[in-house]
Amino acid sequence: MDVQSAVYGIIGYPVAHSLSPLMHNAAFKELGVDAVYKLFPLKENELDGFFAQLREPSSPIFGLNVTVPYKERVIKYLGNITPLAQKIMAVNTIVITKERKLIGYNTDAPAFLSHLVELKFNTRDKKIAILGSGGAARAILAILCMIPERPDSIKIYNRTPERLDILLEDLRTRIDISIVEPVRSIDDLDIPGADLLINTTSVGLKPGDPGLVDEELLHRKLLVYDLVYNPPLTPLLKMAQKRGAHVANGLSMLYYQGVLAFQHWANVQLDDDVKLKMRQALEKGASQSVRK
Ligand code: NAP
Protein backbone atom coordinates (compact mmCIF):
# COMPACT_ATOMS: atom_id res chain seq x y z
CA MET A 1 0.00 0.00 0.00
CA ASP A 2 1.51 3.30 -1.05
CA VAL A 3 0.35 5.86 1.50
CA GLN A 4 3.80 6.89 2.83
CA SER A 5 3.58 10.36 4.44
CA ALA A 6 0.26 10.81 2.72
CA VAL A 7 -2.55 13.02 3.93
CA TYR A 8 -6.22 12.01 3.93
CA GLY A 9 -9.15 13.93 5.33
CA ILE A 10 -12.71 15.13 5.30
CA ILE A 11 -14.02 18.28 3.65
CA GLY A 12 -17.28 19.92 4.65
CA TYR A 13 -18.62 22.70 6.79
CA PRO A 14 -18.66 22.23 9.71
CA VAL A 15 -16.45 19.16 10.22
CA ALA A 16 -15.16 19.67 13.76
CA HIS A 17 -17.64 17.09 15.12
CA SER A 18 -16.51 14.37 12.69
CA LEU A 19 -15.47 10.99 14.12
CA SER A 20 -13.82 9.95 10.84
CA PRO A 21 -10.26 10.95 11.94
CA LEU A 22 -10.48 8.51 14.87
CA MET A 23 -11.49 5.65 12.62
CA HIS A 24 -8.95 6.25 9.84
CA ASN A 25 -6.02 7.19 12.06
CA ALA A 26 -6.66 3.96 14.01
CA ALA A 27 -6.38 2.04 10.74
CA PHE A 28 -3.13 3.81 9.75
CA LYS A 29 -1.68 3.01 13.18
CA GLU A 30 -2.74 -0.63 13.03
CA LEU A 31 -1.23 -1.00 9.55
CA GLY A 32 1.95 0.87 10.53
CA VAL A 33 1.40 3.33 7.71
CA ASP A 34 2.91 6.82 7.90
CA ALA A 35 -0.21 8.74 6.96
CA VAL A 36 -2.58 11.08 8.71
CA TYR A 37 -6.29 11.88 8.39
CA LYS A 38 -7.18 15.55 8.93
CA LEU A 39 -10.20 17.82 9.11
CA PHE A 40 -10.60 20.32 6.27
CA PRO A 41 -13.34 22.80 7.19
CA LEU A 42 -13.97 24.62 3.92
CA LYS A 43 -16.21 27.56 3.22
CA GLU A 44 -17.94 27.57 -0.14
CA ASN A 45 -15.64 30.27 -1.58
CA GLU A 46 -12.61 28.14 -0.66
CA LEU A 47 -13.62 25.10 -2.73
CA ASP A 48 -12.16 26.27 -6.09
CA GLY A 49 -8.75 27.00 -4.53
CA PHE A 50 -8.72 23.76 -2.54
CA PHE A 51 -9.41 21.61 -5.60
CA ALA A 52 -6.89 23.55 -7.71
CA GLN A 53 -4.19 22.76 -5.11
CA LEU A 54 -5.33 19.15 -4.92
CA ARG A 55 -4.40 18.67 -8.58
CA GLU A 56 -0.85 19.98 -8.02
CA PRO A 57 1.79 17.20 -8.26
CA SER A 58 3.26 18.37 -4.93
CA SER A 59 -0.01 17.90 -3.00
CA PRO A 60 0.32 15.28 -0.21
CA ILE A 61 -3.44 14.57 -0.22
CA PHE A 62 -4.41 11.17 -1.66
CA GLY A 63 -7.94 10.65 -0.38
CA LEU A 64 -10.89 12.59 0.91
CA ASN A 65 -14.29 12.12 2.45
CA VAL A 66 -16.94 14.69 1.66
CA THR A 67 -19.72 15.69 4.00
CA VAL A 68 -22.51 18.26 4.30
CA PRO A 69 -22.99 20.48 2.33
CA TYR A 70 -20.67 19.46 -0.53
CA LYS A 71 -21.58 15.89 -1.58
CA GLU A 72 -23.22 17.12 -4.79
CA ARG A 73 -21.15 20.24 -5.32
CA VAL A 74 -17.78 18.42 -5.50
CA ILE A 75 -18.81 16.47 -8.59
CA LYS A 76 -17.87 19.31 -10.95
CA TYR A 77 -14.24 19.11 -9.76
CA LEU A 78 -13.87 15.37 -10.42
CA GLY A 79 -12.45 13.79 -13.57
CA ASN A 80 -14.48 10.65 -13.10
CA ILE A 81 -17.22 9.32 -10.85
CA THR A 82 -18.33 5.70 -10.52
CA PRO A 83 -21.58 4.54 -12.13
CA LEU A 84 -23.20 4.28 -8.68
CA ALA A 85 -22.19 7.82 -7.69
CA GLN A 86 -23.48 8.95 -11.09
CA LYS A 87 -26.88 7.36 -10.47
CA ILE A 88 -27.13 8.88 -7.00
CA MET A 89 -25.42 12.13 -8.05
CA ALA A 90 -23.62 12.45 -4.73
CA VAL A 91 -19.99 11.75 -3.83
CA ASN A 92 -18.74 11.19 -0.29
CA THR A 93 -15.35 9.66 -1.10
CA ILE A 94 -12.62 10.91 -3.45
CA VAL A 95 -9.57 8.93 -4.52
CA ILE A 96 -6.64 11.02 -5.80
CA THR A 97 -4.25 9.00 -7.95
CA LYS A 98 -0.48 9.53 -8.22
CA GLU A 99 -1.18 11.30 -11.52
CA ARG A 100 -3.50 13.63 -9.52
CA LYS A 101 -6.66 12.32 -11.17
CA LEU A 102 -9.73 12.73 -8.95
CA ILE A 103 -12.24 9.85 -8.84
CA GLY A 104 -15.53 10.14 -6.93
CA TYR A 105 -17.35 7.31 -5.13
CA ASN A 106 -20.50 7.01 -3.07
CA THR A 107 -19.85 4.75 -0.08
CA ASP A 108 -22.85 5.97 1.98
CA ALA A 109 -25.35 3.90 0.00
CA PRO A 110 -23.53 0.53 0.15
CA ALA A 111 -22.69 1.24 3.80
CA PHE A 112 -26.39 1.60 4.62
CA LEU A 113 -27.07 -1.75 2.90
CA SER A 114 -24.19 -3.42 4.76
CA HIS A 115 -25.71 -2.31 8.03
CA LEU A 116 -29.13 -3.68 7.02
CA VAL A 117 -27.43 -7.01 6.27
CA GLU A 118 -25.76 -6.91 9.70
CA LEU A 119 -29.21 -6.28 11.20
CA LYS A 120 -30.58 -9.22 9.15
CA PHE A 121 -33.19 -6.95 7.58
CA ASN A 122 -34.09 -8.06 4.04
CA THR A 123 -35.70 -5.25 2.06
CA ARG A 124 -37.45 -7.53 -0.44
CA ASP A 125 -41.21 -6.79 -0.59
CA LYS A 126 -41.01 -4.62 2.54
CA LYS A 127 -42.91 -1.39 3.12
CA ILE A 128 -40.52 1.46 3.88
CA ALA A 129 -41.16 4.95 5.22
CA ILE A 130 -38.53 7.69 4.95
CA LEU A 131 -38.30 11.06 6.69
CA GLY A 132 -36.23 13.72 4.93
CA SER A 133 -35.02 14.64 1.45
CA GLY A 134 -31.44 15.83 1.90
CA GLY A 135 -28.19 14.26 0.79
CA ALA A 136 -28.54 11.19 2.99
CA ALA A 137 -32.08 10.52 1.75
CA ARG A 138 -30.82 10.82 -1.84
CA ALA A 139 -28.28 7.99 -1.36
CA ILE A 140 -30.64 5.73 0.58
CA LEU A 141 -33.65 6.21 -1.65
CA ALA A 142 -31.59 5.64 -4.79
CA ILE A 143 -29.95 2.43 -3.57
CA LEU A 144 -33.25 1.02 -2.25
CA CYS A 145 -34.73 1.50 -5.72
CA MET A 146 -31.74 -0.12 -7.44
CA ILE A 147 -31.17 -3.32 -5.45
CA PRO A 148 -32.52 -6.70 -6.57
CA GLU A 149 -34.17 -7.12 -3.13
CA ARG A 150 -36.72 -4.54 -4.20
CA PRO A 151 -39.01 -3.17 -1.48
CA ASP A 152 -42.76 -3.29 -2.09
CA SER A 153 -43.12 0.46 -1.57
CA ILE A 154 -41.29 3.50 -0.24
CA LYS A 155 -43.27 6.43 1.13
CA ILE A 156 -41.24 9.55 1.74
CA TYR A 157 -42.03 12.78 3.56
CA ASN A 158 -40.06 16.02 3.85
CA ARG A 159 -40.80 19.18 5.82
CA THR A 160 -40.13 21.17 2.65
CA PRO A 161 -42.18 19.38 -0.04
CA GLU A 162 -40.55 21.28 -2.91
CA ARG A 163 -37.16 19.81 -1.99
CA LEU A 164 -38.65 16.32 -2.07
CA ASP A 165 -40.20 16.97 -5.48
CA ILE A 166 -36.87 18.22 -6.86
CA LEU A 167 -35.07 15.14 -5.51
CA LEU A 168 -37.57 12.75 -7.10
CA GLU A 169 -37.59 14.64 -10.40
CA ASP A 170 -33.82 14.33 -10.53
CA LEU A 171 -33.57 10.65 -9.50
CA ARG A 172 -36.36 9.71 -11.94
CA THR A 173 -34.13 10.71 -14.88
CA ARG A 174 -31.64 7.92 -14.01
CA ILE A 175 -33.41 5.38 -11.80
CA ASP A 176 -36.72 3.50 -11.80
CA ILE A 177 -38.38 5.06 -8.75
CA SER A 178 -41.87 3.73 -9.49
CA ILE A 179 -42.09 2.19 -5.98
CA VAL A 180 -41.63 5.64 -4.41
CA GLU A 181 -44.61 7.70 -3.27
CA PRO A 182 -44.03 11.23 -1.97
CA VAL A 183 -46.49 12.14 0.79
CA ARG A 184 -47.48 15.50 2.17
CA SER A 185 -48.00 14.58 5.83
CA ILE A 186 -46.31 12.22 8.29
CA ASP A 187 -49.67 10.45 8.78
CA ASP A 188 -49.62 9.48 5.10
CA LEU A 189 -46.35 7.59 5.61
CA ASP A 190 -48.52 4.74 6.97
CA ILE A 191 -46.03 3.91 9.72
CA PRO A 192 -48.47 1.37 11.29
CA GLY A 193 -48.26 -0.64 8.04
CA ALA A 194 -44.51 -0.17 7.52
CA ASP A 195 -41.64 -2.62 8.18
CA LEU A 196 -38.86 -0.01 8.20
CA LEU A 197 -38.89 3.66 9.19
CA ILE A 198 -35.73 5.62 8.31
CA ASN A 199 -34.98 9.05 9.71
CA THR A 200 -32.60 10.74 7.28
CA THR A 201 -33.18 14.22 8.73
CA SER A 202 -30.78 15.87 11.15
CA VAL A 203 -33.56 16.05 13.75
CA GLY A 204 -32.39 14.27 16.89
CA LEU A 205 -28.89 15.73 16.83
CA LYS A 206 -29.65 18.67 19.10
CA PRO A 207 -30.80 18.43 22.72
CA GLY A 208 -34.56 19.05 22.87
CA ASP A 209 -35.18 17.89 19.30
CA PRO A 210 -38.58 16.23 18.81
CA GLY A 211 -39.18 12.55 17.97
CA LEU A 212 -40.77 13.62 14.66
CA VAL A 213 -43.59 11.04 14.66
CA ASP A 214 -46.41 10.18 17.06
CA GLU A 215 -45.30 7.50 19.48
CA GLU A 216 -48.51 5.45 19.02
CA LEU A 217 -47.63 4.90 15.34
CA LEU A 218 -44.53 2.88 16.26
CA HIS A 219 -44.95 -0.88 16.68
CA ARG A 220 -43.18 -4.16 17.48
CA LYS A 221 -42.78 -5.27 13.84
CA LEU A 222 -41.03 -2.06 12.86
CA LEU A 223 -37.29 -1.44 12.49
CA VAL A 224 -36.64 2.23 13.25
CA TYR A 225 -33.36 3.35 11.71
CA ASP A 226 -32.02 6.78 12.65
CA LEU A 227 -29.03 8.02 10.67
CA VAL A 228 -28.16 10.26 13.60
CA TYR A 229 -25.75 8.46 15.97
CA ASN A 230 -25.00 11.19 18.47
CA PRO A 231 -26.79 10.82 20.83
CA PRO A 232 -26.90 7.03 20.31
CA LEU A 233 -30.56 6.95 21.33
CA THR A 234 -32.33 9.86 19.66
CA PRO A 235 -35.82 10.88 20.86
CA LEU A 236 -37.22 8.86 17.92
CA LEU A 237 -35.25 5.75 18.91
CA LYS A 238 -36.22 6.17 22.58
CA MET A 239 -39.90 6.24 21.63
CA ALA A 240 -39.41 3.26 19.33
CA GLN A 241 -37.75 1.25 22.10
CA LYS A 242 -40.62 2.08 24.45
CA ARG A 243 -43.05 0.74 21.87
CA GLY A 244 -41.08 -2.51 21.45
CA ALA A 245 -39.80 -1.69 17.94
CA HIS A 246 -36.31 -2.71 16.76
CA VAL A 247 -33.90 0.22 16.70
CA ALA A 248 -30.60 1.11 15.02
CA ASN A 249 -28.60 4.32 14.82
CA GLY A 250 -26.24 5.45 12.06
CA LEU A 251 -22.90 4.65 13.71
CA SER A 252 -22.47 1.37 11.85
CA MET A 253 -23.31 3.08 8.56
CA LEU A 254 -20.53 5.58 9.31
CA TYR A 255 -18.20 2.66 10.05
CA TYR A 256 -19.03 0.77 6.85
CA GLN A 257 -18.66 3.86 4.66
CA GLY A 258 -15.28 4.51 6.28
CA VAL A 259 -14.07 0.97 5.61
CA LEU A 260 -15.16 1.22 1.98
CA ALA A 261 -13.53 4.64 1.60
CA PHE A 262 -10.25 3.37 3.05
CA GLN A 263 -10.30 0.36 0.75
CA HIS A 264 -10.78 2.61 -2.28
CA TRP A 265 -7.90 4.88 -1.23
CA ALA A 266 -5.51 2.02 -0.48
CA ASN A 267 -6.83 -0.32 -3.18
CA VAL A 268 -6.74 -3.22 -0.71
CA GLN A 269 -9.28 -5.23 1.28
CA LEU A 270 -8.83 -4.51 4.98
CA ASP A 271 -8.29 -7.44 7.35
CA ASP A 272 -10.83 -8.07 10.08
CA ASP A 273 -8.42 -6.99 12.83
CA VAL A 274 -7.90 -3.59 11.18
CA LYS A 275 -11.65 -3.18 10.74
CA LEU A 276 -12.14 -4.06 14.39
CA LYS A 277 -9.70 -1.31 15.43
CA MET A 278 -11.59 1.16 13.23
CA ARG A 279 -14.90 0.15 14.77
CA GLN A 280 -13.55 0.32 18.31
CA ALA A 281 -12.04 3.77 17.71
CA LEU A 282 -15.36 4.99 16.35
CA GLU A 283 -17.39 3.53 19.21
CA LYS A 284 -15.00 4.99 21.78
CA GLY A 285 -15.14 8.40 20.11
CA ALA A 286 -18.92 8.27 19.89
CA SER A 287 -19.31 7.33 23.56
CA GLN A 288 -16.98 10.17 24.59
CA SER A 289 -18.80 12.80 22.57
CA VAL A 290 -22.34 11.79 23.51
CA ARG A 291 -24.83 14.60 23.60
CA LYS A 292 -27.55 13.82 26.11
P1 NAP B 1 -29.07 17.70 4.54
O1 NAP B 1 -28.80 17.45 3.11
O2 NAP B 1 -28.73 19.02 5.13
O3 NAP B 1 -30.66 17.40 4.77
C1 NAP B 1 -31.24 17.62 6.03
C2 NAP B 1 -32.63 17.02 6.06
O4 NAP B 1 -33.14 17.20 7.40
C3 NAP B 1 -33.63 17.70 5.12
O5 NAP B 1 -34.59 16.75 4.68
C4 NAP B 1 -34.29 18.71 6.06
O6 NAP B 1 -35.59 19.09 5.67
C5 NAP B 1 -34.39 17.91 7.32
N1 NAP B 1 -34.56 18.74 8.51
C6 NAP B 1 -33.62 19.53 9.10
N2 NAP B 1 -34.16 20.14 10.17
C7 NAP B 1 -35.45 19.72 10.26
C8 NAP B 1 -36.51 19.98 11.16
N3 NAP B 1 -36.35 20.82 12.20
N4 NAP B 1 -37.70 19.38 10.96
C9 NAP B 1 -37.87 18.52 9.92
N5 NAP B 1 -36.90 18.22 9.03
C10 NAP B 1 -35.69 18.83 9.20
O7 NAP B 1 -28.31 16.63 5.46
P2 NAP B 1 -27.96 15.10 5.09
O8 NAP B 1 -26.64 15.02 4.46
O9 NAP B 1 -29.12 14.50 4.39
O10 NAP B 1 -27.79 14.48 6.57
C11 NAP B 1 -28.93 14.31 7.38
C12 NAP B 1 -28.51 13.62 8.68
O11 NAP B 1 -28.00 12.31 8.39
C13 NAP B 1 -27.41 14.36 9.44
O12 NAP B 1 -27.69 14.29 10.81
C14 NAP B 1 -26.17 13.56 9.11
O13 NAP B 1 -25.18 13.65 10.13
C15 NAP B 1 -26.74 12.16 9.02
N6 NAP B 1 -25.93 11.27 8.20
C16 NAP B 1 -25.43 10.15 8.77
C17 NAP B 1 -24.67 9.29 8.02
C18 NAP B 1 -24.12 8.05 8.68
O14 NAP B 1 -23.19 7.46 8.15
N7 NAP B 1 -24.67 7.65 9.80
C19 NAP B 1 -24.40 9.55 6.66
C20 NAP B 1 -24.96 10.69 6.08
C21 NAP B 1 -25.70 11.55 6.87
P3 NAP B 1 -35.84 20.43 4.78
O15 NAP B 1 -35.57 20.02 3.38
O16 NAP B 1 -37.26 20.74 5.06
O17 NAP B 1 -34.89 21.47 5.30
Side-chain angles (χ1 to χ4, degrees):
M1 190 172 62
D2 187 10
V3 285
Q4 199 72 3
S5 301
V7 174
Y8 295 79
I10 181 164
I11 62 169
Y13 202 86
V15 288
H17 63 283
S18 173
L19 298 176
S20 291
L22 296 172
M23 173 168 49
H24 292 295
N25 285 324
F28 291 138
K29 191 172 166 208
E30 183 65 14
L31 290 164
V33 171
D34 180 18
V36 65
Y37 187 101
K38 296 182 175 176
L39 299 174
F40 295 106
L42 291 179
K43 300 228 174 88
E44 186 138 9
N45 62 4
E46 295 172 322
L47 280 180
D48 283 353
F50 181 85
F51 276 92
Q53 274 188 4
L54 207 54
R55 283 189 223 95
E56 292 291 323
S58 58
S59 171
I61 301 175
F62 284 93
L64 290 168
N65 287 128
V66 184
T67 188
V68 183
Y70 300 132
K71 289 183 188 183
E72 293 162 58
R73 246 166 287 177
V74 295
I75 290 174
K76 68 173 180 189
Y77 298 108
L78 308 177
N80 209 346
I81 68 173
T82 64
L84 177 64
Q86 210 150 22
K87 291 263 189 199
I88 299 170
M89 264 306 171
V91 160
N92 72 306
T93 297
I94 301 172
V95 171
I96 301 120
T97 67
K98 278 190 198 134
E99 298 76 29
R100 310 309 298 169
K101 285 208 178 87
L102 275 52
I103 307 161
Y105 294 77
N106 188 298
T107 66
D108 280 335
F112 174 72
L113 292 184
S114 294
H115 192 196
L116 286 188
V117 170
E118 183 190 310
L119 294 165
K120 299 190 170 47
F121 185 93
N122 187 338
T123 51
R124 188 184 295 279
D125 297 333
K126 296 294 195 309
K127 294 187 190 316
I128 299 178
I130 298 181
L131 294 159
S133 294
R138 169 182 283 275
I140 285 175
L141 191 62
I143 200 82
L144 286 173
C145 288
M146 288 165 65
I147 50 178
E149 297 81 12
R150 206 163 158 80
D152 172 75
S153 63
I154 303 174
K155 293 184 194 284
I156 177 165
Y157 166 82
N158 194 46
R159 174 183 64 174
T160 312
E162 298 78 24
R163 191 170 180 194
L164 171 56
D165 293 344
I166 291 168
L167 172 66
L168 296 187
E169 253 172 55
D170 176 54
L171 289 180
R172 189 175 289 122
T173 61
R174 297 179 301 278
I175 299 172
D176 172 5
I177 60 162
S178 52
I179 55 172
V180 178
E181 184 192 336
V183 300
R184 290 302 190 234
S185 84
I186 289 185
D187 284 344
D188 291 337
L189 280 175
D190 187 22
I191 294 171
D195 302 287
L196 171 62
L197 169 65
I198 310 167
N199 175 34
T200 73
T201 78
S202 44
V203 179
L205 266 177
K206 294 196 295 292
D209 270 354
L212 280 174
V213 306
D214 286 340
E215 189 171 319
E216 310 83 71
L217 299 174
L218 305 170
H219 56 88
R220 299 177 72 82
K221 288 192 181 155
L222 187 66
L223 169 62
V224 181
Y225 193 109
D226 201 327
L227 263 74
V228 174
Y229 50 81
N230 187 7
L233 270 184
T234 60
L236 175 64
L237 294 184
K238 275 189 187 158
M239 285 194 312
Q241 259 190 348
K242 246 168 82 184
R243 297 283 296 168
H246 306 276
V247 300
N249 70 29
L251 194 68
S252 292
M253 178 175 163
L254 182 68
Y255 158 74
Y256 283 116
Q257 70 75 29
V259 169
L260 289 170
F262 198 104
Q263 293 184 157
H264 289 311
W265 296 329
N267 200 20
V268 292
Q269 291 294 306
L270 289 172
D271 290 341
D272 286 347
D273 52 344
V274 180
K275 290 195 251 181
L276 183 64
K277 291 281 188 228
M278 292 173 81
R279 192 160 203 153
Q280 286 170 340
L282 203 52
E283 282 168 0
K284 190 170 166 205
S287 69
Q288 285 171 349
S289 65
V290 167
R291 295 180 204 122
K292 303 277 179 207

